Amino acid sequence: MASKQSVMLVIRAARPSFRNCQDKAAFAVHAAFMAAGYILHLTGLPAFEDGVLSSCPVADEVGMENWNEVEDYYAFVYSHPQQGCKRVLMKGLVLNKKLFVDVLKEGDSEELHHLEVDTMEYVENDGGTSYGSQFKNLAKLVADVNKELLSKLNGSSVSTANSPSQPTVFSTTNNISLGYQIPYPCPQCLRPLPVFTWLPNPWCFIGRPAAGTMLEYAVL
């Protein structure tokens, strides 16, 4: 598990550049994974590629270059040496100043872990040049990451993934849903990303269709 102190050490060691408060929140969640012993194998746009959970080389470690190159969307691929080096895919979506984080572990196609982060509860809009002053309530955020994501990946608690009341970043199959789905286009070519259900703006999904049924949609 991560701690406030270990997460801040990761942040200071990485010295990331933040464009906005959402970047700060996303990096703090990532830092919790690194502090818990995970190894980063892929981030940025390549982490959105189809089949990344099975194709990303676990022998490679990467830095944080281009981690926030896609505005309002984040993706990281990790593995943990003590968990059989299974790949773990974390994706984040910013919506209404909240960060919705979903995590999927290789081999657990239906075991989705979810965390909703109110970014302004944990970051300062103008925290100066000190990383310590750019975050607040970091201990609570780390505790939430430990409880809702890291502990569940370790198998120490029961997953509550795909709660119908929460937006979810992942989709099990194209146009099939276990809950609300959010449009998630590829920013470069505007084609559907493989692990997401997508309709062109201003389309959005509505309703709570049962598993195996087609989604309804409407123009806003």
Side-chain angles (χ1 to χ4, degrees):
M1 296 293 104
S3 67
K4 173 186 175 181
Q5 293 76 14
S6 61
V7 167
M8 185 52 64
L9 284 174
V10 171
I11 294 173
R12 287 193 168 115
R15 301 193 62 80
S17 296
F18 302 129
R19 300 169 305 176
N20 51 44
C21 292
Q22 290 71 40
D23 276 5
K24 296 176 186 179
F27 199 92
V29 175
H30 157 74
F33 273 73
M34 300 296 287
Y38 281 83
I39 298 171
L40 180 66
H41 301 297
L42 205 60
T43 187
L45 197 58
F48 292 100
E49 292 297 324
D50 189 15
V52 70
L53 267 180
S54 58
S55 63
C56 177
V58 294
D60 297 341
E61 292 188 42
V62 301
M64 294 304 299
E65 293 80 6
N66 302 319
W67 70 277
N68 58 351
E69 63 179 327
V70 186
E71 187 173 0
D72 291 340
Y73 303 102
Y74 308 94
F76 306 87
V77 180
Y78 310 94
S79 71
H80 198 295
Q82 297 179 1
Q83 297 180 22
C85 290
K86 285 190 174 182
R87 301 168 185 87
V88 172
L89 177 60
M90 179 174 76
K91 293 195 175 182
L93 165 66
V94 175
L95 189 65
N96 296 329
K97 295 185 178 181
K98 290 188 177 182
L99 176 67
F100 297 94
V101 179
D102 280 338
V103 176
L104 188 64
K105 189 174 184 179
E106 181 182 5
D108 297 338
S109 59
E110 296 183 0
E111 190 86 11
L112 187 64
H113 310 297
H114 180 82
L115 176 65
E116 180 180 327
V117 180
D118 186 344
T119 58
M120 300 313 299
E121 182 180 350
Y122 301 107
V123 303
E124 297 287 358
N125 192 35
D126 184 12
T129 57
S130 168
Y131 285 111
S133 64
Q134 295 186 44
F135 296 89
K136 57 186 178 182
N137 302 321
L138 188 58
K140 181 178 183 299
L141 176 59
V142 173
D144 288 344
V145 174
N146 284 336
K147 177 183 176 181
E148 301 299 335
L149 301 178
L150 293 173
S151 65
K152 294 179 180 180
L153 288 171
N154 293 339
S156 59
S157 61
V158 179
S159 170
T160 57
N162 284 327
S163 169
S165 62
Q166 297 173 322
T168 176
V169 181
F170 287 93
S171 172
T172 53
T173 2
N174 283 340
N175 296 325
I176 297 177
S177 169
L178 300 178
Y180 284 125
Q181 301 297 320
I182 299 172
Y184 209 126
C186 167
Q188 288 190 340
C189 54
L190 295 182
R191 63 175 174 80
L193 286 169
V195 295
F196 299 106
T197 306
W198 173 73
L199 288 174
N201 289 333
W203 296 85
C204 75
F205 299 114
I206 62 171
R208 296 190 179 97
T213 62
M214 298 299 292
L215 284 170
E216 298 178 353
Y217 54 87
V219 176
L220 290 180

